[in-house]
Amino acid sequence: MINKLSWRLLFLSAFVLLWGCSDDEPYSPTPDENKNADLESFTVNVDSPVVFTEAGESKTIEFSILPEYLDFAYDVKSGNCAVNLSYDKGINAYNNGSYPVKIEDISPARDGSGNIIKGSYIAKLRDSGDNIFTYSEKLYLTLVYKNAKGLIMSAMSNAFTVEYENDSPLLLNTGLPIVIIDIPNKAEITSKDNWASKINITIYDENGKIDYNDSELQMKGRGNSTWGYPKKPYALKLNKKEKILGMSKHKRWCLLANYLDRTMIRNAVAFEVSRKTGLAYTPDGRFVELIVNGTHRGNYYLTEQIKVDKNRVNITDPDDEDLPKEGDYNTRGYIFELDIYFDEQYKFRSSIFDMPYMFKDPDEVWASEVSYIKQYVKMMEESIAKINTGSSDYMDYLDAESFADWWLVHEIMTNGEPNHPKSSYMYKDVDGKMFMGPVWDFDWATLVAIKTTGFAVKNSLYFNRLFQDAQFVKLVKERYAMFKSGLNEIPAYIDGLKELLRKSDSINYKMWGYTGEPNNDAADYDKAMNNLKSVYEARIKWLDTAINNM
């Protein structure tokens, strides 16, 4: 802790002040009095904690100064106010900073007849509702003034405290649902491989009503490169399948941090674009405030994890008693991720195009199942390799419409992940073709101004071969034309999210800032959001011509 003398010396360097009194000066000294004075006392008159009961509420406190004619600026709206609010865990002043209580107004105190009480002032404090779990520090008023010798001085009042009448999370009022997670012993999630268990979770909807509550949550980290950033993404596993915030029942969910995305909405926008196509399933999601172990972690996107389920990727998901036995194959559906991280337990590289296939669901498969899928992919790739030979039957092995729709989403969003490939999902049902989807992972370098023109993923995965087939090109043109009216609704969707997340962003940005990479967004929220919309509109305009001219 910095001692008070050091605090005061450092505090002086933080202010450039005008020393004239405000127009409503409570007292004018006589000519015999020196207008500059030596401070005798600076007292906040609070008998008990200042209690807030709802977000955005204002409370008043009285403070007194002797000598009563001490000259200082107290108009907080001028930017030159010599009175500020600080707390005891640092030297920063928080009148215009990130502390959730701020000074809204200072005025001279008056008696019952309306007469100014010399040396007595009323400060109005307002709670911003930004963070309900930072009200444990002592608060002080600080005063900067000139003494009798004309030297700039700083003084600190006695300490006082503020608190809430209760710990209701509804006081964190950004208009978004709130997810509150309490881990035993206030432990942190440090692994993306091992599940922490016996965790309490409570989810409040945007109206403050409890949507879900349980004490058997499991939680771990998630992501590849995103796990290495300060704002961590998480995977959640509920005790049983449950609806969350209006989304369909399931156990598995993700909390996406969107740390690299200044707008926070690129994943949500991509999912909305996906819903405008004919893809069978797109993950649903809700923006939320996340509180872990009593600490607000900022804005997160709570979304469905890609899993086999009738409410998600709707392919064969046998009951426990019908699970395949060793040696069985082609008895259930599978979800695959094509990703160069190649870090799942069950995986193979395809024999012709060397694609990194990983089994994402189910979690465990028999060697016989891996062999079956490996052989199926081999036959599919052989047929793709024969495109333009006049003897290809590739459409017998893959669902061309899903490939076209999936490609359109990534091309519209300029998502280059499939070029590696990364985060590229496919699935296959019993006796079924290979389907592309669902879409996933759009926070990295998507919808950036330098990529409004030019194809982004036309040569990724199998598409470099597929686009050599006139029938596939024709299909892409037809699908794009079919979805165009829905795609034109995305700018309005972006505008809606901009307003929905405005208050949440003001808090999240103070917590995490913005790195500037990889999307080259403006730090200003409105500029970043407006630019995202402009880039989307420019991208659609270019694709209108480019796809037609294929």
Side-chain angles (χ1 to χ4, degrees):
M1 177 67 67
I2 300 174
N3 63 44
K4 288 188 178 180
L5 178 59
S6 299
W7 195 100
R8 291 169 181 172
L9 291 173
L10 288 169
F11 182 86
L12 294 175
S13 65
F15 292 89
V16 177
L17 298 169
L18 298 178
W19 302 108
C21 292
S22 70
D23 293 337
D24 193 16
E25 187 175 321
Y27 183 74
S28 296
T30 66
D32 296 331
E33 292 174 329
N34 187 343
K35 199 170 186 181
N36 296 325
D38 290 311
L39 181 68
E40 298 174 15
S41 67
F42 177 23
T43 307
V44 175
N45 305 315
V46 178
D47 295 329
S48 60
V50 179
V51 180
F52 291 99
T53 58
E54 60 183 34
E57 187 176 15
S58 293
K59 295 286 186 177
T60 58
I61 61 172
E62 184 176 343
F63 66 93
S64 301
I65 293 174
L66 288 176
E68 59 194 20
Y69 54 82
L70 186 76
D71 186 34
F72 64 95
Y74 60 82
D75 182 5
V76 299
K77 296 178 178 63
S78 72
N80 301 310
C81 187
V83 181
N84 219 309
L85 182 68
S86 301
Y87 75 120
D88 67 355
K89 290 189 176 180
I91 65 169
N92 295 315
Y94 279 83
N95 192 36
N96 297 305
S98 60
Y99 196 79
V101 174
K102 297 174 175 61
I103 300 177
E104 185 177 42
D105 183 63
I106 298 175
S107 59
R110 297 177 183 271
D111 62 22
S113 300
N115 300 312
I116 288 176
I117 304 173
K118 297 176 182 179
S120 187
Y121 300 82
I122 300 296
K124 181 187 290 187
L125 306 182
R126 178 175 289 278
D127 160 63
S128 67
D130 286 357
N131 194 334
I132 65 171
F133 292 101
T134 58
Y135 280 39
S136 58
E137 300 90 359
K138 293 178 181 178
L139 296 181
Y140 305 84
L141 291 183
T142 57
L143 178 70
V144 180
Y145 67 99
K146 286 183 180 179
N147 69 1
K149 295 181 179 180
L151 299 175
I152 297 174
M153 304 295 290
S154 174
M156 182 184 293
S157 75
N158 56 299
F160 63 98
T161 60
V162 297
E163 63 183 37
Y164 278 119
E165 191 173 69
N166 55 57
D167 291 328
S168 170
L170 307 185
L171 295 166
L172 176 59
N173 182 20
T174 65
L176 299 182
I178 303 169
V179 177
I180 299 179
I181 293 173
D182 291 303
I183 305 169
N185 301 315
K186 294 195 176 297
E188 288 293 325
I189 301 299
T190 59
S191 172
K192 64 173 188 172
D193 299 314
N194 301 313
W195 292 97
S197 59
K198 301 293 182 181
I199 296 171
N200 290 304
I201 180 172
T202 303
I203 299 177
Y204 292 83
D205 67 17
E206 62 274 17
N207 297 313
K209 181 180 178 181
I210 293 180
D211 181 81
Y212 178 75
N213 178 254
D214 192 53
S215 59
E216 296 293 331
L217 175 72
Q218 295 183 65
M219 184 176 180
K220 66 178 181 178
R222 68 163 314 279
N224 291 312
S225 60
T226 52
W227 180 242
Y229 293 108
K231 189 183 180 188
K232 304 295 185 185
Y234 301 104
L236 307 179
K237 185 191 295 186
L238 307 184
N239 186 41
K240 61 181 181 178
K241 291 184 178 181
E242 296 283 0
K243 288 185 176 181
I244 297 293
L245 296 173
M247 295 180 281
S248 298
K249 275 187 177 183
H250 208 279
K251 288 184 178 182
R252 300 290 288 271
W253 306 82
C254 298
L255 283 164
L256 302 183
N258 293 315
Y259 175 73
L260 295 173
D261 182 3
R262 176 66 187 92
T263 71
M264 307 185 296
I265 68 171
R266 281 178 166 85
N267 278 307
V269 170
F271 291 170
E272 186 67 10
V273 170
S274 177
R275 281 186 279 272
K276 302 298 184 183
T277 72
L279 287 171
Y281 167 70
T282 300
D284 201 357
R286 302 288 186 273
F287 286 98
V288 301
E289 303 294 342
L290 177 64
I291 297 168
V292 179
N293 295 334
T295 300
H296 185 201
R297 304 296 173 92
N299 181 287
Y300 275 73
Y301 192 53
L302 175 63
T303 183
E304 298 173 339
Q305 184 174 349
I306 296 174
K307 300 292 289 184
V308 175
D309 188 83
K310 66 180 181 179
N311 292 320
R312 296 190 182 178
V313 180
N314 189 13
I315 53 180
T316 304
D317 187 13
D319 296 331
D320 290 344
E321 59 267 24
D322 296 324
L323 288 174
K325 300 175 178 61
E326 187 172 5
D328 289 348
Y329 62 92
N330 194 26
T331 61
R332 55 179 171 172
Y334 308 92
I335 299 175
F336 314 100
E337 182 182 11
L338 279 65
D339 197 302
I340 57 173
Y341 280 102
F342 208 51
D343 54 358
E344 297 292 340
Q345 181 177 358
Y346 301 99
K347 59 195 174 186
F348 65 90
R349 300 197 75 94
S350 65
S351 58
I352 297 177
F353 288 93
D354 195 35
M355 293 293 177
Y357 278 80
M358 299 185 295
F359 286 77
K360 293 296 288 186
D361 197 21
D363 295 330
E364 295 183 357
V365 294
W366 296 109
S368 56
E369 295 178 287
V370 177
S371 296
Y372 162 69
I373 294 298
K374 189 174 182 180
Q375 179 61 26
Y376 185 91
V377 170
K378 180 176 183 293
M379 293 187 294
M380 181 183 73
E381 289 189 344
E382 286 174 344
S383 68
I384 292 172
K386 292 179 182 178
I387 288 176
N388 271 350
T389 66
S391 61
S392 175
D393 57 352
Y394 75 92
M395 288 193 183
D396 291 342
Y397 292 94
L398 61 84
D399 180 80
E401 288 186 354
S402 69
F403 273 70
D405 294 356
W406 188 92
W407 178 82
L408 282 171
V409 176
H410 286 75
E411 199 61 70
I412 290 168
M413 296 294 298
T414 65
N415 184 355
E417 296 289 271
N419 291 315
H420 298 283
K422 292 180 181 178
S423 302
S424 300
Y425 285 83
M426 304 170 72
Y427 62 91
K428 182 187 180 305
D429 204 354
V430 176
D431 294 328
K433 298 179 182 181
M434 190 72 76
F435 282 71
M436 281 299 301
V439 301
W440 189 255
D441 195 6
F442 287 80
D443 63 334
W444 181 280
T446 59
L447 290 183
V448 293
I450 60 173
K451 295 197 295 186
T452 55
T453 62
F455 287 110
V457 288
K458 193 165 179 281
N459 294 316
S460 66
L461 299 169
Y462 302 117
F463 290 104
N464 59 333
R465 293 300 185 98
L466 295 177
F467 277 108
Q468 294 175 20
D469 178 43
Q471 188 175 353
F472 185 77
V473 172
K474 180 175 180 290
L475 178 64
V476 168
K477 291 181 178 181
E478 291 172 347
R479 304 294 283 181
Y480 184 70
M482 184 187 308
F483 307 139
K484 184 64 194 310
S485 61
L487 297 174
N488 289 339
E489 297 171 357
I490 298 300
Y493 178 75
I494 293 172
D495 284 339
L497 289 182
K498 179 176 71 172
E499 296 312 312
L500 175 68
L501 303 181
R502 182 176 296 280
K503 185 168 184 180
S504 180
D505 173 79
S506 69
I507 304 169
N508 188 81
Y509 184 69
K510 290 173 185 175
M511 290 181 176
W512 302 108
Y514 174 56
T515 65
E517 298 292 341
N519 299 307
N520 298 315
D521 285 328
D524 179 80
Y525 178 72
D526 284 291
K527 287 182 179 178
M529 285 290 204
N530 293 339
N531 183 67
L532 185 74
K533 183 174 72 169
S534 297
V535 171
Y536 177 87
E537 292 170 333
R539 183 65 179 162
I540 290 295
K541 183 178 180 179
W542 183 85
L543 286 171
D544 286 346
T545 300
I547 290 177
N548 184 60
N549 291 338
M550 277 182 170

